[in-house]
Amino acid sequence: MLTIKNLYVSVEGQEILKGINLEIKPGEIHAIMGPNGSGKSTLANVLAGRHEYEVTAGEITYNGEDLFEKSPEDRAREGIFLSFQYPVEIPGVPMVNFLKTAVNEHRKHRGEKELTAGEFLKLMREKMDMVDLHPQLTNRSVNEGFSGGEKKKNEIFQMALLEPKLAILDETDSGLDIDALKTVAHGVNALKSPETSTIVVTHYQRLLDYIVPDYVHILYNGKIVKTAGKELAFELEEKGYDWIKKENEK
Amino acid sequence: MSVLTEKTDVSLKYTAHFNEAREKLFANSSEILNSKRNKAFQNFVLQGIPTRKNENYKYTNLHSAFANEYTFVHEKQKTEADIAEIFRCNVPDLNTQLTLLYNGWFYDKNNLAGKLPEGVILESLEKATSKYADIIDQHYAALADTSADAMVALNTAYAKDGYFLYIPKNVAIEKPIQIVNLLKSDTDTFSTQRNLVIVEEGAEVQLILCDHTLDSNRYINNLVTEVFVGENAKLDYYTIQNQHNKAVSVNSVFVRQQANSTFISHTVSLHGGLIRNNLKVTIDGENAQANLFGMAFLDRKQHIDNFTKVEHAKPHCQSNQVYKYVLDNQSTGAFSGQIHVARDAQKTNAFQRNNNLLLTDSATMQTKPQLIIDADDVKCSHGATVGQIDEQALFYLRARGIPEDKARLMMMNAFAHEVVQEIKVEALRERIDELIEKRLNGEVARCHECEYNCEC
Amino acid sequence: MAEQDKILHDLTQSDYKYGFITDIETDIIDIGLNEAVVKTIWEKKNEPDFMLDFRLDAFRKWQKMKIPDWAYLKIPPIDFQSISYYAAPVQKPKYASIDEVDPELIETFNKLGIPLEEQKHLAGVAVDVVMDSVSVKTTFKEVLAEKGIIFCSFSDALQEHPNLVRKYFGQAVPVADNFFAALNSAVFSDGSFCYIPKGVRCPMELSTYFRINAANTGQFERTLIVADDDSYVSYLEGCTAPMRDENQLHAAVVEIIAHDRAEVKYSTVQNWYPGDKNGIGGIYNFVTKRGVCRGVSSKISWTQVETGSAITWKYPSCILLGDNSVGEFNSVAVTNHHQQADTGSKMIHIGKNTKSRIVSKGISAGRSDNSYRGLVKIMPGATNSRNFSQCDSLLLNDTCGAHTFPYIEVGNKSSVVEHEATTSKIGEDQIFYCNQRGIDTETAVGIIINGYAREVLNKLPMEFAVEAQKLLQISLEGSVG
């Protein structure tokens, strides 16, 4: 589904990713872990097509096609979903309008009929229960006045609505209490299918208790320095990141 | 009398005076100052004393004050007594390099020899024009545009003396320099003061400027100061205004900043009959910062108008303006603040706030904050409020057993304190705090230790 | 980024969709302005005698006045002698039914999407249409008459209710209030008149559409709305004009008088031809709008969406005379290409416990300049008064300007005035967030701008709000960056 080859990325002239290789097949869950500043969020943003991140070398193919050829909205319409670490507020734009536009853009792209207001509201209510999001939040402006936990739940709610093929969760667990974390994980797991893949970017192991990964990759200083099964996350939790740092500075 | 004839009549007086005094003005003055006189005078004639029809003077009427008869000080006066004796700066623990001016003229007995770091010049402008002709010629009248403001034109036409301060490259002066202008005369007096401040690259200085009236005559003091802040230089510019109710002060300050420089100004207007402060800062280099703070306390029929302009000419700069007024009795206050962000001055952060407290129904506040924004990647905002003390906060204090008048005073102090706390010279900050408290208590600050029992 | 620029560029190239010219027979007088012309207009309108005195008084005062120069506008010289001051579609004196109206005219109004006739029954909007200065059709007159509401063209009002007009005319905007008001007072040709009697809530939105059609003409219409004690009315105004290379002058006057506890809502969607993308042509829009809250607890609110005109000079104002009266001003002003707008409001607090609120949202694009200018004045006697003003500017690129010029004058201690202004651009992170959800940049910008203006758009009556949203998007096509 997704193949990353020898990816180098700079931000404002500073090299952040230094040769990433990664292969994700349909149905897989990959966790990307690493200390602060290792480049985890950069990788997530590059996949979504943020233009501040300059790709200096390497390639990414998504379903056999060159990802860099596609605009951010086309990537989204073809199934790449980024759950933002810090969802931005858009004052004055009601959630409902925003989501209806987004859903219908996806449908148009797939050659499906656009939903009417009534149909959309019905769909929205269904998905809302999944993440336990208060219905009143959809009357507010996009992310405005949402608590940290509500923002994250709102991201997962949008994921439920848009039904992506490749979901990237960028530190979705940060700032969540244990109940909210369970709700979010439940949402992610419920949306899982053999055709869809997930990249979980996280600092801590605790989210992985609920979203069980097939592979764990450790990103350090712009490179993937270790890849193993879910047991790697436990090892990391036990030994801390210093272990990785030491090992790589030898 | 219609505004037009009023304008003509009052302006004519000053026009006629220039012609009468022409000889005196040109005599004993350097070519640098003289070369600007005629053009400045023409510009004054074209503009006249501003009326309230002039948008920049919409809220300040200079005409009634300017209509009085004044004696001009076009020559250095002999002072019988040693005014350094008469005046003692009464800021406890304020350790400054004190320098005096007398009716706008640099005082002869200032003894600064050996007290300032090498290369630092603090000197009479008149004398400096011959000693440092090159540097003064380069800077004099470079910022103060005589075609844009009649009062600047009038100053440039009449200018003979004031102070010249020069801080050479990379010299940081620890002890603040305090310059006190004393107004003292036998008759009603019109004084003109012209100053030039050059802070070279990497230099640092704190400058404290005070105005005092020493008798109860009427005064008009028309000042113009041009300030150049070089790259990486830092200037703290404090103005403490403490004059009596019959004094008029028109104080125009023009600042140009280079890259990475910092300019901080505090204008504390404690007392005065009519005060008009013009402060124009042009930020002409990247990564520079300008902070303009002001506070004004008015009672009786006092009038204070702060007119600021911050010109962001280059990208990546910051400016902040906070002005606060407390108005009592029939006093009138005005604030006009403008932020202009030029077309290419991207990444500018410019903020401005003006908060005012009216204590009576006969006090008036007029405020005119303006944003002129010609670049898009900027963060600019302004806010202005006019109102009373927050009744809820007042109630909270009273509910804790504090009597109402005391609570009110605490709230007013707190209101002013936001600006006071920005004063970096500690002794001055404490003094200002104390003066404000006295001022708000009804003890008129300037008269507290004044020996001249004037009824003003 | 380059792509964003391109989209913005493409958007700005969009055309003005109301730029057609109607081929219709027009009664037009020669260009030029003098006392004889003023008299000719008076004669053509068959007005009462007092109107001639009024017009000549205005004309004589106007001759001594100068075009105001204080706004942040570059106003090219206007030759007032090269304009025709009266142009009217030739028409029979009265239409007995819709069938008698010139089909071209009907077609014009259909193109404009104006609700004339039956379809409008459904919408419940009563419409007066003013084309080239003359009112051509007023719908629903009879329905309104049953309630005692007078809603008719200004000409008809002068014929049928001269005393009522005379009582209120020129009260809010005196003859020589300003240069353009004086010009209007001398030469205005028509407009709308509305009177809501005591205790009546007008059951439908009243609406006037203004259209400039003939070339080399100015449009000078006059609107007077009087709301008697305890009455309520909501009034809408829309404007369009053909695309022409020369500039055309529009100098209107709107007066509102609100008596005790009366409420008047006045909404405008101004979409005069703004000129092309090079700044050629377009309407010069100099408008004086003022309401007097004469009675206690009366309320006047102005809502405007300004997207058209090459130059806009307009400050809908409220004089809050009655105790406890309320004034409101809500504005969205969009400028693109070479448009210039200097617009805002005046709130003059005279009565006790008066309240006012100003919300202004400026959006600048292209090479345009967009200024807010406002005055909040609290007189010493206006104790316990309140004002809150919020003026936001959004800049869409680095070649436009956004400016804010508020004036605040407070004369007593018990009043509170607050003013806030901010300037910002659309966040790239906001656009990216939308992109990531599959929304393209053009749509995203439209969504964000409508969000930014929502607070004001929500004040518009429903049918207008939808129209206004579309208009915002169209006006900014090709502009966003």
Side-chain angles (χ1 to χ4, degrees):
Chain A
M1 174 180 273
L2 184 80
T3 311
I4 302 175
K5 278 186 191 156
N6 196 31
L7 181 70
Y8 281 78
V9 175
S10 297
V11 181
E12 289 177 355
Q14 201 189 340
E15 197 161 73
I16 307 288
L17 297 184
K18 302 165 186 171
I20 301 279
N21 291 292
L22 191 64
E23 171 82 39
I24 295 176
K25 297 198 178 71
E28 291 178 350
I29 296 179
H30 289 243
I32 296 182
M33 300 183 72
N36 290 329
S38 59
K40 304 189 297 289
S41 282
T42 300
L43 182 60
N45 277 292
V46 166
L47 289 171
R50 198 156 187 147
H51 73 79
E52 292 97 319
Y53 296 84
E54 195 196 344
V55 176
T56 52
E59 59 185 66
I60 304 180
T61 51
Y62 175 65
N63 291 333
E65 290 179 323
D66 182 358
L67 191 66
F68 298 144
E69 289 292 304
K70 295 178 193 296
S71 66
E73 57 269 33
D74 277 341
R75 296 180 197 198
R77 292 165 187 167
E78 287 171 19
I80 295 180
F81 179 92
L82 173 62
S83 165
F84 285 80
Q85 187 179 2
Y86 304 109
V88 67
E89 299 183 359
I90 310 178
V93 178
M95 277 302 298
V96 184
N97 294 11
F98 169 75
L99 293 173
K100 179 163 170 278
T101 310
V103 166
N104 279 333
E105 289 292 341
H106 278 72
R107 294 181 68 91
K108 265 199 284 185
H109 188 77
R110 294 194 295 258
E112 295 166 10
K113 199 168 91 17
E114 292 184 38
L115 296 181
T116 62
E119 289 165 343
F120 174 75
L121 286 176
K122 190 165 162 274
L123 174 70
M124 199 173 76
R125 263 180 240 118
E126 272 171 30
K127 304 290 183 180
M128 221 152 187
D129 295 339
M130 189 180 271
V131 287
D132 184 31
L133 196 65
H134 199 282
Q136 271 183 350
L137 291 182
T138 55
N139 294 327
R140 292 212 201 134
S141 296
V142 177
N143 292 322
E144 203 176 47
F146 284 43
S147 71
E150 283 168 344
K151 278 185 183 168
K152 294 296 169 71
K153 283 186 191 173
N154 187 26
E155 293 291 292
I156 301 305
F157 163 57
Q158 291 179 40
M159 179 175 145
L161 270 178
L162 298 174
E163 299 177 331
K165 296 198 182 87
L166 173 64
I168 306 157
L169 311 180
D170 187 4
E171 307 251 354
T172 300
D173 51 337
S174 68
L176 291 188
D177 61 32
I178 194 70
D179 291 334
L181 189 75
K182 280 184 190 165
T183 314
V184 164
H186 169 72
V188 172
N189 289 328
L191 293 165
K192 196 75 204 65
S193 82
E195 290 81 41
T196 63
S197 312
T198 310
I199 298 175
V200 184
V201 173
T202 182
H203 191 74
Y204 303 105
Q205 179 267 335
R206 62 171 194 165
L207 180 64
L208 305 179
D209 286 345
Y210 305 98
I211 304 174
V212 181
D214 300 307
Y215 297 96
V216 175
H217 309 276
I218 296 174
L219 192 59
Y220 177 67
N221 199 17
K223 286 181 189 149
I224 291 177
V225 295
K226 229 178 182 56
T227 297
K230 63 184 177 201
E231 67 283 354
L232 181 57
F234 294 106
E235 195 176 354
L236 204 56
E237 186 73 4
E238 213 172 283
K239 296 184 181 173
Y241 282 109
D242 284 345
W243 160 57
I244 294 293
K245 287 182 192 168
K246 273 184 207 139
E247 203 157 275
N248 280 278
E249 273 154 22
K250 273 175 202 165
Chain B
M1 206 189 333
S2 78
V3 177
L4 189 67
T5 49
E6 192 183 320
K7 170 184 169 180
T8 317
D9 290 350
V10 177
S11 299
L12 272 180
K13 215 171 68 175
Y14 290 84
T15 309
H17 178 77
F18 182 83
N19 286 322
E20 283 163 26
R22 185 180 288 269
E23 214 168 293
K24 268 191 194 167
L25 288 169
F26 279 86
N28 299 322
S29 199
S30 82
E31 178 50 31
I32 297 169
L33 271 55
N34 283 344
S35 68
K36 309 286 184 197
R37 252 181 247 292
N38 283 328
K39 181 71 188 160
F41 177 64
Q42 276 174 20
N43 278 330
F44 173 73
V45 173
L46 285 174
Q47 297 169 83
I49 308 273
T51 67
R52 295 182 65 160
K53 290 207 160 180
N54 179 329
E55 180 66 24
N56 291 348
Y57 282 86
K58 189 177 168 68
Y59 295 128
T60 293
N61 178 10
L62 294 175
H63 275 249
S64 51
F66 276 69
N68 295 317
E69 294 299 324
Y70 296 95
T71 304
F72 289 81
V73 195
H74 294 315
E75 290 171 309
K76 180 158 280 189
Q77 294 162 310
K78 289 247 157 31
T79 41
E80 332 78 56
D82 183 350
I83 40 175
E85 289 288 311
I86 298 174
F87 174 80
R88 51 192 162 73
C89 183
N90 51 16
V91 181
D93 309 319
L94 180 56
N95 184 9
T96 64
Q97 188 55 62
L98 184 67
T99 309
L100 296 182
L101 267 70
Y102 182 65
N103 291 337
W105 290 73
F106 202 80
Y107 184 50
D108 279 337
K109 293 176 188 165
N110 281 323
N111 183 8
L112 296 164
K115 290 181 183 165
L116 293 168
E118 205 187 326
V120 173
I121 303 164
L122 180 53
E123 168 85 89
S124 145
L125 181 72
E126 187 188 40
K127 288 203 175 126
T129 47
S130 51
K131 282 201 220 166
Y132 314 101
D134 281 358
I135 190 156
I136 292 184
D137 196 26
Q138 261 178 45
H139 295 89
Y140 181 71
L143 302 180
D145 181 0
T146 59
S147 65
D149 187 328
M151 299 314 295
V152 172
L154 195 63
N155 177 286
T156 310
Y158 285 169
K160 293 209 74 171
D161 200 17
Y163 65 86
F164 170 61
L165 174 64
Y166 180 85
I167 317 289
K169 196 169 163 180
N170 296 329
V171 170
I173 304 183
E174 273 175 37
K175 205 181 201 185
I177 292 177
Q178 187 179 17
I179 300 174
V180 181
N181 182 41
L182 301 172
L183 293 166
K184 185 177 187 317
S185 180
D186 304 331
T187 68
D188 294 351
T189 298
F190 190 109
S191 108
T192 298
Q193 193 193 135
R194 181 69 178 228
N195 313 309
L196 183 58
V197 176
I198 300 170
V199 184
E200 291 280 22
E201 192 182 330
E204 282 182 32
V205 65
Q206 295 172 319
L207 191 54
I208 302 172
L209 305 156
C210 308
D211 283 318
H212 291 278
T213 39
L214 293 187
D215 57 47
S216 60
N217 288 310
R218 289 179 192 279
Y219 289 95
I220 291 182
N221 193 16
N222 185 22
L223 301 92
V224 170
T225 309
E226 291 172 287
V227 179
F228 296 83
V229 186
E231 277 186 31
N232 290 304
K234 188 166 186 285
L235 171 63
D236 284 14
Y237 189 93
Y238 297 95
T239 306
I240 317 295
Q241 298 174 313
N242 205 358
Q243 306 176 350
H244 64 56
N245 281 335
K246 287 192 282 184
V248 173
S249 182
V250 181
N251 176 25
S252 306
V253 179
F254 297 86
V255 182
R256 185 193 280 162
Q257 289 183 253
Q258 302 302 328
N260 301 303
S261 64
T262 307
F263 172 76
I264 301 173
S265 124
H266 283 265
T267 308
V268 184
S269 308
L270 288 170
H271 212 280
L274 186 157
I275 294 175
R276 161 72 177 217
N277 293 311
N278 297 314
L279 177 53
K280 183 180 180 188
V281 179
T282 305
I283 306 181
D284 207 11
E286 297 194 10
N287 299 308
Q289 183 167 8
N291 289 331
L292 277 47
F293 300 104
M295 59 195 122
F297 302 89
L298 300 87
D299 62 13
R300 285 175 281 186
K301 291 192 170 166
Q302 296 175 351
H303 176 82
I304 296 176
D305 182 355
N306 279 293
F307 189 90
T308 70
K309 260 188 187 182
V310 175
E311 176 78 27
H312 280 267
K314 294 282 155 65
H316 297 283
C317 293
Q318 280 201 33
S319 70
N320 275 299
Q321 298 179 58
V322 181
Y323 276 79
K324 295 199 161 194
Y325 287 57
V326 178
L327 299 102
D328 204 349
N329 305 131
Q330 294 94 50
S331 61
T332 51
F335 172 77
S336 303
Q338 192 181 85
I339 295 170
H340 179 213
V341 179
R343 177 114 299 157
D344 297 319
Q346 296 290 13
K347 305 279 178 195
T348 291
N349 283 342
F351 303 102
Q352 182 194 69
R353 190 152 47 83
N354 170 231
N355 303 121
N356 309 286
L357 285 182
L358 292 182
L359 304 182
T360 69
D361 277 340
S362 26
T364 306
M365 182 67 205
Q366 293 162 321
T367 174
K368 204 176 83 173
Q370 305 190 335
L371 296 176
I372 301 182
I373 312 294
D374 289 317
D376 62 337
D377 195 5
V378 299
K379 286 200 185 96
C380 297
S381 71
H382 69 208
T385 59
V386 183
Q388 315 134 268
I389 291 167
D390 180 352
E391 290 296 325
Q392 281 186 5
L394 200 62
F395 179 76
Y396 186 87
L397 291 177
R398 292 172 69 188
R400 295 288 176 271
I402 300 165
E404 185 180 347
D405 50 347
K406 199 161 189 176
R408 232 170 243 287
L409 213 61
M410 284 173 77
M411 293 295 297
M412 281 193 273
N413 256 315
F415 175 78
H417 194 72
E418 185 196 352
V419 178
V420 178
Q421 69 183 6
E422 297 288 340
I423 296 175
K424 298 287 181 292
V425 182
E426 198 184 335
L428 182 66
R429 184 173 63 240
E430 282 167 11
R431 179 60 170 169
I432 297 287
D433 250 339
E434 188 191 330
L435 288 175
I436 288 171
E437 192 161 346
K438 281 189 178 134
R439 186 72 170 83
L440 296 174
N441 248 326
E443 294 173 48
V444 181
R446 83 162 284 279
C447 290
H448 180 57
E449 288 176 48
C450 169
E451 296 139 34
Y452 306 92
N453 295 310
C454 40
E455 292 170 19
C456 46
Chain C
M1 194 60 203
E3 191 205 357
Q4 254 180 52
D5 287 345
K6 186 177 169 294
I7 290 170
L8 302 178
H9 182 75
D10 293 348
L11 278 171
T12 28
Q13 309 311 318
S14 78
D15 294 327
Y16 182 72
K17 75 171 188 179
Y18 304 102
F20 57 87
I21 296 164
T22 307
D23 185 12
I24 196 164
E25 202 185 335
T26 305
D27 173 17
I28 188 162
I29 66 170
D30 289 341
I31 61 166
L33 183 56
N34 51 45
E35 291 202 2
V37 168
V38 173
K39 207 166 172 195
T40 305
I41 295 169
W42 172 76
E43 277 164 356
K44 277 188 181 284
K45 309 285 306 170
N46 194 23
E47 288 174 349
D49 288 350
F50 77 86
M51 282 306 297
L52 182 61
D53 297 340
F54 180 87
R55 287 175 180 277
L56 287 175
D57 180 32
F59 177 72
R60 287 166 193 153
K61 285 177 172 151
W62 175 75
Q63 281 185 303
K64 296 192 188 110
M65 298 170 89
K66 280 196 188 125
I67 193 160
D69 59 359
W70 40 259
Y72 199 89
L73 299 170
K74 290 188 198 94
I75 304 171
I78 300 169
D79 182 359
F80 290 93
Q81 296 303 335
S82 68
I83 296 168
S84 169
Y85 288 86
Y86 185 83
V90 172
Q91 56 171 341
K92 296 173 194 169
K94 287 278 170 204
Y95 298 110
S97 85
I98 188 79
D99 306 330
E100 291 179 39
V101 179
D102 188 328
E104 276 278 351
L105 198 58
I106 302 270
E107 182 55 23
T108 299
F109 294 129
N110 283 339
K111 278 191 204 165
L112 294 172
I114 290 175
L116 269 173
E117 293 317 310
E118 284 77 15
Q119 26 171 346
K120 291 316 132 197
H121 254 292
L122 302 169
V125 178
V127 185
D128 185 17
V129 176
V130 177
M131 174 125 150
D132 289 344
S133 318
V134 172
S135 178
V136 288
K137 185 80 185 94
T138 307
T139 61
F140 278 109
K141 206 167 161 177
E142 297 76 16
V143 184
L144 295 168
E146 281 167 27
K147 293 223 163 209
I149 296 168
I150 303 169
F151 178 46
C152 60
S153 73
F154 211 94
S155 311
D156 288 352
L158 277 169
Q159 304 299 328
E160 292 161 27
H161 313 281
N163 292 333
L164 198 56
V165 174
R166 195 172 184 175
K167 183 174 172 192
Y168 291 105
F169 189 52
Q171 294 282 309
V173 182
V175 165
D177 184 80
N178 66 65
F179 182 85
F180 294 105
L183 178 63
N184 174 287
S185 300
V187 303
F188 79 92
S189 23
D190 211 339
S192 299
F193 174 77
C194 170
Y195 173 81
I196 315 291
K198 278 184 185 162
V200 172
R201 275 187 75 86
C202 184
M204 60 185 77
E205 311 276 352
L206 301 186
S207 176
T208 304
Y209 276 81
F210 296 101
R211 170 91 183 152
I212 297 178
N213 190 46
N216 298 318
T217 56
Q219 175 145 317
F220 307 93
E221 81 274 355
R222 189 103 193 177
T223 302
L224 175 58
I225 300 170
V226 179
D228 218 325
D229 296 352
D230 302 293
S231 66
Y232 166 85
V233 65
S234 168
Y235 195 94
L236 316 175
E237 175 198 273
C239 342
T240 56
M243 286 159 71
R244 295 187 189 278
D245 284 348
E246 68 272 23
N247 298 107
Q248 282 181 286
L249 180 65
H250 172 247
V253 170
V254 176
E255 297 181 280
I256 301 175
I257 309 287
H259 285 285
D260 290 355
R261 297 167 302 277
E263 180 178 354
V264 179
K265 279 189 185 172
Y266 195 103
S267 310
T268 306
V269 174
Q270 187 265 104
N271 185 26
W272 295 118
Y273 177 52
D276 69 9
K277 60 183 190 296
N278 299 312
I280 306 295
I283 301 294
Y284 292 165
N285 191 34
F286 296 93
V287 175
T288 306
K289 292 187 170 177
R290 195 172 303 147
V292 182
C293 283
R294 186 185 281 186
V296 297
S297 304
S298 54
K299 179 175 180 184
I300 293 177
S301 58
W302 299 99
T303 301
Q304 61 175 28
V305 175
E306 301 279 317
T307 58
S309 298
I311 294 176
T312 299
W313 178 100
K314 172 178 177 189
Y315 316 92
S317 303
C318 298
I319 297 174
L320 304 171
L321 203 57
D323 291 350
N324 305 310
S325 58
V326 178
E328 258 189 42
F329 173 75
N330 302 291
S331 170
V332 175
V334 179
T335 54
N336 195 358
H337 304 310
H338 291 262
Q339 281 177 277
Q340 305 178 62
D342 193 293
T343 183
S345 182
K346 285 197 264 187
M347 294 290 172
I348 313 293
H349 293 250
I350 301 170
K352 293 180 176 53
N353 308 316
T354 46
K355 287 187 175 51
S356 66
R357 185 179 162 85
I358 293 174
V359 177
S360 164
K361 304 271 182 181
I363 300 165
S364 324
R367 302 184 164 276
S368 66
D369 272 301
N370 196 333
S371 303
Y372 166 80
R373 183 181 304 277
L375 170 67
V376 174
K377 188 175 180 115
I378 311 264
M379 303 297 280
T383 49
N384 287 311
S385 293
R386 294 280 182 280
N387 162 268
F388 176 74
S389 306
Q390 173 77 46
C391 306
D392 295 328
S393 307
L394 195 63
L395 293 115
L396 298 189
N397 62 30
D398 59 1
T399 52
C400 57
H403 320 297
T404 317
F405 304 99
Y407 292 71
I408 299 162
E409 305 180 9
V410 183
N412 68 57
K413 70 166 183 183
S414 53
S415 296
V416 176
V417 175
E418 288 175 83
H419 171 94
E420 287 171 15
T422 61
T423 299
S424 55
K425 61 183 265 187
I426 295 180
E428 280 175 28
D429 50 349
Q430 293 174 331
I431 292 178
F432 182 72
Y433 192 81
C434 294
N435 287 161
Q436 217 299 309
R437 299 298 182 253
I439 300 167
D440 61 49
T441 300
E442 184 185 327
T443 312
V445 168
I447 286 176
I448 295 166
I449 284 173
N450 269 307
Y452 166 80
R454 178 161 310 274
E455 193 180 350
V456 173
L457 297 178
N458 280 348
K459 300 274 179 182
L460 289 172
M462 189 63 103
E463 319 84 67
F464 250 39
V466 175
E467 197 58 30
Q469 284 197 19
K470 281 190 212 147
L471 200 54
L472 276 190
Q473 218 132 340
I474 292 166
S475 313
L476 285 167
E477 280 182 4
S479 67
V480 188

